[in-house]
Amino acid sequence: DTEVTQTPKHLVMGMTNKKSLKCEQHMGHRAMYWYKQKAKKPPELMFVYSYEKLSINESVPSRFSPECPNSSLLNLHLHALQPEDSALYLCASSQGSPQGAPSPLHFGNGTRLTVT
Amino acid sequence: GQQLNQSPQSMFIQEGEDVSMNCTSSSIFNTWLWYKQDPGEGPVLLIALYKAGELTSNGRLTAQFGITRKDSFLNISASIPSDVGIYFCAGQSSSGNTGKLIFGQGTTLQVKP
């Protein structure tokens, strides 16, 4: 079982809906990430949070809004999405050492999002 | 921007055969990671490499961090049906506490029993 938990596992939403994806980790990691993955493609980075502060936004459209309420939780708020936003959304975490020591990312199993 | 070239794109092998896949980059990386992804799941970390020249094993898996820091390979020995999946290499170049992870395009492995 993955130590990064994502809910819901599947989500179907209309283009006018507002929904949120949730991610939780209890490994004491201080860096958390959102990735988007299309079928048969590698994950693409969307956002990085370091010590609960947004440190990287990969020019993601504003209809995706991340939130990091505390060091264990990461949310992705969705509003007015397009059908082409349908994908697997992956959350990941890493230790995020302030000394800069490298640490691998650990991924959740993702939320399969379908926009109709 | 940085790109990773992963090859081969796909492999179809007989159970018991050894497998080799590799990634190359035009840029230097400080960390090389290898992940496996099964359908409907997230990528699972297989091996992490932190030093140039490092050779690390995890069961039947062996991976190496190239001396030039621009390449890495993953070998799987005596393949079994559960090795089926997509294998991704990933490189990390930042020395900060969060670095961007660049993924290769993936190698799809199919194993015939």
Side-chain angles (χ1 to χ4, degrees):
Chain A
D1 287 338
T2 178
E3 295 180 85
V4 177
T5 304
Q6 291 188 243
T7 55
K9 196 170 173 65
H10 300 276
L11 178 63
V12 179
M13 62 185 289
M15 288 189 283
T16 58
N17 291 159
K18 282 185 181 181
K19 296 286 184 185
S20 296
L21 309 184
K22 297 188 182 301
C23 175
E24 189 169 1
Q25 59 88 13
H26 294 290
M27 294 181 281
H29 288 174
R30 301 311 298 270
M32 295 186 77
Y33 310 74
W34 280 114
Y35 279 81
K36 173 182 177 181
Q37 186 179 27
K38 291 282 202 177
K40 309 277 189 202
K41 296 292 185 183
E44 297 176 1
L45 182 65
M46 299 175 73
F47 302 104
V48 180
Y49 272 83
S50 175
Y51 288 78
E52 293 103 72
K53 296 232 180 332
L54 184 64
S55 62
I56 296 177
N57 175 342
E58 289 287 286
S59 303
V60 179
S62 60
R63 56 185 185 270
F64 295 92
S65 175
E67 179 197 18
C68 190
N70 60 55
S71 60
S72 300
L73 294 174
L74 185 67
N75 298 323
L76 186 63
H77 302 298
L78 314 172
H79 174 53
L81 294 194
Q82 304 296 311
E84 59 265 28
D85 295 322
S86 299
L88 181 68
Y89 287 84
L90 293 163
C91 173
S93 69
S94 68
Q95 284 188 334
S97 164
Q99 285 74 35
S103 60
L105 273 64
H106 297 266
F107 286 85
N109 280 330
T111 293
R112 175 73 60 189
L113 175 68
T114 303
V115 182
T116 60
Chain B
Q2 292 175 312
Q3 289 188 356
L4 290 186
N5 298 311
Q6 185 172 349
S7 64
Q9 189 173 358
S10 62
M11 302 182 73
F12 190 88
I13 62 170
Q14 197 76 31
E15 181 178 1
E17 290 183 352
D18 296 344
V19 172
S20 185
M21 58 192 80
N22 69 84
C23 272
T24 59
S25 169
S26 57
S27 307
I28 287 174
F29 287 106
N30 295 327
T31 303
W32 281 95
L33 306 171
W34 285 93
Y35 289 88
K36 178 181 181 238
Q37 188 171 24
D38 292 329
E41 298 183 6
V44 174
L45 181 67
L46 298 174
I47 293 181
L49 302 160
Y50 300 111
K51 292 182 188 176
E54 180 181 357
L55 183 72
T56 297
S57 292
N58 177 8
R60 293 179 296 106
L61 277 59
T62 301
Q64 183 157 31
F65 191 144
I67 290 289
T68 64
R69 298 168 73 185
K70 293 183 179 180
D71 63 300
S72 177
F73 72 73
L74 174 71
N75 287 342
I76 305 173
S77 63
S79 58
I80 58 178
S82 61
D83 289 334
V84 165
I86 303 178
Y87 291 79
F88 290 104
C89 64
Q92 193 170 37
S93 59
S94 170
S95 59
N97 57 9
T98 54
K100 289 177 61 172
L101 203 58
I102 310 296
F103 281 85
Q105 292 300 307
T107 295
T108 300
L109 178 64
Q110 294 177 288
V111 179
K112 185 177 180 183

